[in-house]
Amino acid sequence: MRAQIIGTGSCLPEKIVTNDYLSTIVDTSDEWISSRTGIRQRHISVEETTASLSTEAARRALEDAGVKAEELDLIIVATCTPDTLVPNTACLVQSELGAVNATAFDISAACSGFVFALNLVDAYMQSGMYQTALVIGAETLSRIVDWKDRSTCVIFADGAGAAVVRAAETGVSAGVMGSDGTRGGVIYVKNRENFNPFVPEQKPMDFLYMDGGAVFKFAVKKIPEAIHETLEKADLQVEDIDWFILHQANARINQMIAKKLNVSVDKVPGNVDHCGNTSAASVPILLDEVNRKGLLKSGQKIVLAGFGSGLTWGVLTLTWA
């Protein structure tokens, strides 16, 4: 049995922040941001939290799938911005949904997180351990961004996406995951440092740092390679794929990936222009957006790909239900 997606959902914060507004608080402009990233606006949490966004996205995915919360036996949330260190976000979602029969835990793989989680669920379902799962990617990155740093505050945003997954004869056909911890300094944010009576001086928490150029070079090289590796494992060719749902880091990155794969940009949908980079949430948010537009048809072949801090990358190919 393999993991088959049977429903999707997403949730974005109510507050929309345009490039023009950001130009009033940092030295930037709509032209500067859009020409370099493709982003024109993003959603930023005010009242919303990682858990509340996750829960609403989950409710919408369950409704789309026609599945009750009590039917879930596994919930995984991929996030690097949880509201609480303990309990984990998945347990908070479990409580809100009333998913009394589910095991719930989080994973942290930044922008690759949702794909990592879905690959993990597929492995569980191949083993027969779980039958019905909820996979969520959710972030409130606005809480770790320095709003005086135009290189990061214009890029990152908040949101959540979810997928209900059930063990079936068809679904995920192959997956690849990887990491290069030697390049962890390319994107990082420190947690609270040692805090105890034996540490003489406490330091303020740091904000997110990113070397955008290094990320660009990494993504346009590694992701096409990983996609080809995954397709080879699935005994598929690039031309067999109907949709490439890629992490929404930067419009130019995805254009370069499409070019390297020699596929039409029409097969590589995007929403970075109105959602920004939502890290682990970006792939499931885009998947839900494409699904609700009615573009996904039964039997179509789809590639999901995430890449980001770690450095990490994850790719899988699946057949749509």
Side-chain angles (χ1 to χ4, degrees):
M1 305 295 282
R2 303 302 298 258
Q4 183 181 82
I5 295 176
I6 60 172
T8 64
S10 61
C11 182
L12 296 168
E14 183 178 348
K15 180 70 173 179
I16 296 174
V17 178
T18 65
N19 291 347
D20 287 335
Y21 174 79
L22 290 180
S23 70
T24 69
I25 63 173
V26 292
D27 181 17
T28 191
S29 67
D30 176 62
E31 192 280 330
W32 191 92
I33 299 169
S34 60
S35 64
R36 288 164 175 78
T37 68
I39 300 169
R40 295 193 176 277
Q41 64 180 44
R42 73 285 294 145
H43 293 254
I44 300 298
S45 295
V46 179
E47 299 294 334
E48 301 90 350
T49 66
T50 299
S52 70
L53 292 167
S54 296
T55 301
E56 185 56 34
R59 287 194 176 108
R60 295 172 185 178
L62 288 168
E63 181 181 8
D64 186 48
V67 171
K68 296 179 180 179
E70 310 90 82
E71 296 178 59
L72 296 172
D73 46 31
L74 178 64
I75 301 172
I76 302 178
V77 175
T79 184
C80 60
T81 52
D83 305 321
T84 54
L85 296 179
V86 289
N88 64 55
T89 307
C91 282
L92 299 176
V93 173
Q94 177 196 28
S95 175
E96 288 297 315
L97 294 178
V100 295
N101 297 308
T103 299
F105 62 90
D106 292 359
I107 69 167
S108 177
C111 308
S112 305
F114 179 81
V115 179
F116 272 35
L118 195 51
N119 265 315
L120 180 59
V121 167
D122 181 57
Y124 278 136
M125 290 182 172
Q126 287 187 64
S127 74
M129 190 170 181
Y130 296 110
Q131 298 299 311
T132 307
L134 174 65
V135 185
I136 302 169
E139 305 285 10
T140 47
L141 296 166
S142 59
R143 73 174 74 185
I144 62 171
V145 166
D146 181 354
W147 287 90
K148 297 179 181 179
D149 176 15
R150 73 170 185 172
S151 69
T152 55
C153 75
V154 303
I155 295 172
F156 294 101
D158 306 335
V164 176
V165 182
R166 183 162 277 169
E169 292 296 331
T170 61
V172 173
S173 54
V176 167
M177 298 187 294
S179 58
D180 179 3
T182 65
R183 304 181 70 188
V186 172
I187 312 174
Y188 72 90
V189 57
K190 291 182 179 179
N191 199 349
R192 184 173 182 172
E193 297 193 0
N194 291 343
F195 184 86
N196 58 57
F198 312 104
V199 179
E201 183 179 349
Q202 305 306 321
K203 299 178 181 179
M205 290 187 67
D206 289 334
F207 294 109
L208 184 149
Y209 165 82
M210 180 177 68
D211 181 341
V215 174
F216 191 103
K217 292 176 183 177
F218 154 74
V220 299
K221 181 178 186 296
K222 176 56 67 176
I223 297 308
E225 292 175 353
I227 289 175
H228 281 298
E229 181 183 354
T230 306
L231 292 177
E232 184 176 352
K233 290 176 66 174
D235 195 24
L236 294 169
Q237 303 296 319
V238 170
E239 51 267 28
D240 296 324
I241 304 302
D242 296 286
W243 300 102
F244 293 84
I245 308 296
L246 308 180
H247 168 50
Q248 299 295 291
N250 181 305
R252 292 169 57 213
I253 289 177
N254 291 350
Q255 290 165 4
M256 287 291 293
I257 292 173
K259 184 176 181 180
K260 287 200 170 189
L261 293 172
N262 195 28
V263 300
S264 169
V265 292
D266 293 337
K267 287 189 172 186
V268 188
N271 64 9
V272 73
D273 62 320
H274 58 274
C275 288
N277 181 341
T278 55
S279 188
S282 78
V283 169
I285 289 173
L286 178 58
L287 182 66
D288 181 53
E289 190 173 304
V290 174
N291 182 31
R292 289 177 186 271
K293 288 179 178 177
L295 299 176
L296 305 182
K297 308 298 182 184
S298 179
Q300 287 186 331
K301 307 295 184 185
I302 301 170
V303 162
L304 305 182
F307 51 88
S309 180
L311 291 170
T312 60
W313 59 95
V315 177
L316 61 80
T317 183
L318 57 88
T319 301
W320 194 249

